[in-house]
Amino acid sequence: MNTRLNKSDYLVIIIVYAVTIIFNCFDYYRSENALIEYLIDIPLAAIFSFAIILIFMYWLIPSYVVKKKKYVHFVFFGLIILCFFGAIDFVSGYWTGNGDWSKFPKWYDFLLQSFFRLSDDAGFVFGILLAKKFYEGQAQFFNVQKQQKDNELKLLRSQIDPHFLFNNLNTLDALIDSDTIKAKEYINRLSLIYRYLIQTKDAEVMELSEEIAFAENYIFLIETRFGNDYNFKIKRETLLSDKFLPTGSIQTLLENVVKHNKADHNGPIDVVVAIEKQWLTVINTKSKIKSFEESFGTGLKNLKSRYKLLSDLEVQIINTDSKFKVSIPIVQLSNES
């Protein structure tokens, strides 16, 4: 769940606090509270409860619930935060209300009242935000799921695209007459690609090592077909085990390079696939000659949508006059007990 607050979340918070402040002012008026209590108690309670919400949404929940699944730590730190801000608010209210310090509550009563001091205010808004986030997440999930279903038919059709197969058969036909050994290798690589596409068509994620193996076979087809037009290099800067990518993501990135770039007189298109600890990056030089080759990938837009369900990180794209760089997060699946 994405716990970061958006514009509509802040609007909800403002509305709730505005209504709460109005009711508090009316209650203070009936109780004939002093002006200093209006000026300090009400704003301070709103500020502290808002601070509690920010701490929960930006630190406690992401760190101890979403990522680490350490619920005991979440409860422990949550109680400390509530007591800390509640204690300050209670002491402030005791002072503005001209309380008798000789009758100040004992430490255990003080802690108990400190805990409940802001629990209602922060808890009410917090509950509204969590419910809102939950339904927004559900709506996003169904939208992405629908988009994924819409793309499945396009993906399946493109994977068996007659144009793609025709081009490879033409390349194979030329190899049979000129280089029979390479022709056999070409057939083997082509069969491995189609086998992989068929076997993984229903998988949401695949092991990084499997995706890299697919990429190597796909690169072989490109280099055989286009000769020296493309210069590919795979840089492994981390171990590939226990790491995953959305199925077909590297296929999308490599295919995007070939689709939009064609080698010119300045030399081949240099393509580097860099595998780091948390990111896989494909960076290529750009040419002024554009290729109109049909794409059989899901596309960068669909890849971005898929990552919304798999990772808190987003696909990063940097497009300059000379280079095009796409970085996708490497997914590490956590084992839940």
Side-chain angles (χ1 to χ4, degrees):
M1 181 179 69
N2 181 17
T3 58
R4 302 184 69 86
L5 301 180
N6 53 41
K7 291 182 180 179
S8 62
D9 294 329
Y10 285 111
L11 180 60
V12 169
I13 292 174
I14 291 172
I15 293 174
V16 172
Y17 279 139
V19 174
T20 302
I21 289 173
I22 291 173
F23 279 111
N24 281 337
C25 289
F26 180 72
D27 185 56
Y28 274 37
Y29 176 77
R30 289 196 309 173
S31 302
E32 298 182 350
N33 290 53
L35 179 62
I36 191 173
E37 294 180 271
Y38 286 88
L39 298 177
I40 295 180
D41 291 359
I42 294 177
L44 204 61
I47 292 171
F48 283 166
S49 62
F50 180 64
I52 291 171
I53 291 170
L54 291 180
I55 293 173
F56 270 76
M57 298 297 283
Y58 281 89
W59 176 56
L60 274 183
I61 295 179
S63 298
Y64 294 103
V65 176
V66 177
K67 293 181 180 179
K68 299 179 181 179
K69 305 293 188 295
K70 293 183 177 180
Y71 304 109
V72 175
H73 293 71
F74 170 74
V75 173
F76 175 74
F77 287 118
L79 291 175
I80 290 179
I81 291 169
L82 285 173
C83 288
F84 174 76
F85 285 103
I88 300 176
D89 188 63
F90 180 81
V91 172
S92 173
Y94 202 83
W95 172 69
T96 56
N98 293 319
D100 187 353
W101 293 99
S102 64
K103 297 180 181 180
F104 192 80
K106 296 185 181 297
W107 68 270
Y108 45 85
D109 287 331
F110 173 64
L111 285 179
L112 191 63
Q113 293 188 50
S114 297
F115 170 73
F116 287 110
R117 185 77 177 185
L118 296 174
S119 296
D120 292 340
D121 292 341
F124 179 68
V125 181
F126 185 63
I128 292 177
L129 289 176
L130 285 184
K132 181 174 179 291
K133 289 292 184 182
F134 173 77
Y135 285 107
E136 285 178 347
Q138 289 294 103
Q140 183 184 66
F141 173 79
F142 288 119
N143 286 336
V144 174
Q145 191 177 50
K146 181 179 181 299
Q147 183 180 1
Q148 184 71 14
K149 290 295 182 182
D150 292 340
N151 283 313
E152 281 181 2
L153 181 58
K154 296 179 182 178
L155 177 61
L156 182 60
R157 286 173 177 172
S158 62
Q159 288 174 349
I160 56 175
D161 185 358
H163 185 62
F164 172 72
L165 183 59
F166 177 76
N167 288 332
N168 283 287
L169 289 178
N170 279 341
T171 304
L172 182 59
D173 180 60
L175 285 175
I176 291 175
D177 294 331
S178 61
D179 191 340
T180 56
I181 296 178
K182 195 169 186 178
K184 291 180 180 180
E185 177 68 13
Y186 196 90
I187 293 173
N188 179 56
R189 300 275 188 143
L190 186 60
S191 65
L192 289 175
I193 284 178
Y194 272 96
R195 182 184 302 171
Y196 183 78
L197 293 175
I198 293 172
Q199 291 176 344
T200 62
K201 65 182 180 66
D202 296 322
E204 184 62 32
V205 296
M206 283 299 297
E207 292 184 10
L208 178 58
S209 57
E210 296 289 336
E211 281 285 302
I212 294 299
F214 169 85
E216 290 173 341
N217 291 327
Y218 183 59
I219 289 172
F220 179 86
L221 297 188
I222 297 174
E223 291 179 333
T224 303
R225 178 183 170 194
F226 294 100
N228 297 322
D229 287 355
Y230 299 92
N231 180 27
F232 290 91
K233 182 179 181 181
I234 298 178
K235 297 172 59 178
R236 296 175 174 85
E237 300 177 5
T238 184
L239 297 177
L240 304 185
S241 58
D242 298 325
K243 295 179 176 65
F244 299 82
L245 286 178
T247 305
S249 54
I250 298 183
Q251 172 190 350
T252 299
L253 300 182
L254 295 178
E255 178 235 14
N256 190 68
V257 174
V258 177
K259 177 183 178 183
H260 296 290
N261 296 279
K262 186 176 181 181
D264 53 25
H265 61 276
N266 292 323
I269 303 297
D270 292 320
V271 186
V272 176
V273 180
I275 309 164
E276 301 173 342
K277 186 175 181 180
Q278 291 185 315
W279 296 88
L280 183 142
T281 300
V282 175
I283 181 170
N284 64 273
T285 56
K286 295 171 63 176
S287 65
K288 296 182 180 180
I289 301 176
K290 303 300 180 182
S291 173
F292 297 97
E293 187 76 19
E294 289 289 339
S295 170
F296 66 93
T298 58
L300 294 179
K301 183 178 180 180
N302 183 42
L303 192 58
K304 289 181 180 179
S305 299
R306 293 170 67 186
Y307 264 105
K308 290 182 179 180
L309 299 179
L310 296 173
S311 174
D312 293 332
L313 301 175
E314 298 180 351
V315 176
Q316 298 180 0
I317 299 176
I318 300 177
N319 188 10
T320 66
D321 293 336
S322 59
K323 292 184 179 181
F324 189 80
K325 178 181 178 182
V326 182
S327 297
I328 59 175
I330 293 175
V331 180
Q332 291 181 305
L333 302 182
S334 59
N335 294 323
E336 297 186 30
S337 57

